[in-house]
Amino acid sequence: MTYAIVYDSRTGNTEELARAVAEALPAQGRLAFGRVGEVDAASVAQADRVYAGFWTNRGDCTDEMGELLAGLAGKEVFLFGTCGFGADETYFAGVAARAAAHLPESAQLIGTFMCQGRMPSSVRRRYERTAEANPVQAARMAQLIANFDEAAAHPNDADLARLRARVQAAPSA
């Protein structure tokens, strides 16, 4: 089986996951590893399987990753990614499903993995400013700050171990 690992990472979280995917797989058969838009498109097109990683943007993958996914006709695809919000498997499943909707019908989704990921500190500062400027929003901002603080510890070693296990448990070609 040949494969490619393609990821879209803004803060380094999804790149960290991509490296864990690479660690979980044999080097033999790897045709490409890199960022979406930078990775060799011909190698991705040649791969039997594509491991596609993304950061969550408005509850979905990024537009650039969505375009890549739409071009994976006939491929086996494993989706992985990070979300700044929510540590809830139901939320993660919804994000993965929205990303999977970009795949053509002939692609076969063989697995998914999502976990929380660190967000830029500017996000926390924005929540704090909103709470100060608009007291009606203070309780909601406190919840968002608590989520931000929880996400700061991810992806962690346990997240990476779960990802490697899911990748290794994916059906063989």
Side-chain angles (χ1 to χ4, degrees):
M1 173 196 71
T2 60
Y3 68 92
I5 302 170
V6 183
Y7 63 92
D8 196 353
S9 186
R10 181 183 244 179
T11 60
N13 296 326
T14 307
E15 181 175 2
E16 191 173 349
L17 295 185
R19 294 192 184 290
V21 169
E23 291 169 7
L25 296 168
Q28 182 179 2
R30 183 179 311 144
L31 300 180
F33 177 94
R35 289 181 182 274
V36 66
E38 296 175 8
V39 71
D40 180 49
S43 295
V44 174
Q46 194 176 47
D48 301 314
R49 180 176 288 181
V50 176
Y51 294 86
F54 57 91
W55 57 277
T56 302
N57 184 31
R58 300 180 312 265
D60 197 350
C61 63
T62 61
D63 293 342
E64 196 170 13
M65 181 56 72
E67 289 174 22
L68 179 123
L69 295 175
L72 297 180
K75 306 279 184 208
E76 294 181 343
V77 179
F78 186 104
L79 297 174
F80 62 95
T82 57
C83 301
F85 292 97
D88 178 88
E89 289 300 323
T90 302
Y91 176 72
F92 292 157
V95 171
R98 284 185 289 282
H102 296 278
L103 293 168
E105 284 187 31
S106 64
Q108 179 186 2
L109 184 63
I110 61 159
T112 64
F113 176 84
M114 299 294 298
C115 70
Q116 273 191 299
R118 293 175 299 280
M119 293 176 275
S121 58
S122 61
V123 172
R124 192 178 204 284
R125 287 192 302 272
R126 186 176 68 235
Y127 296 154
E128 291 167 343
R129 284 192 308 270
T130 300
E132 289 173 18
N134 190 351
V136 173
Q137 293 289 324
R140 175 70 180 134
M141 292 303 111
Q143 291 173 328
L144 294 174
I145 290 168
N147 178 80
F148 177 96
D149 292 344
E150 172 60 29
H154 296 275
N156 60 27
D157 290 342
D159 296 325
L160 299 175
R162 284 191 349 265
L163 171 58
R164 286 190 286 272
R166 281 220 196 135
V167 165
Q168 291 170 341
S172 299

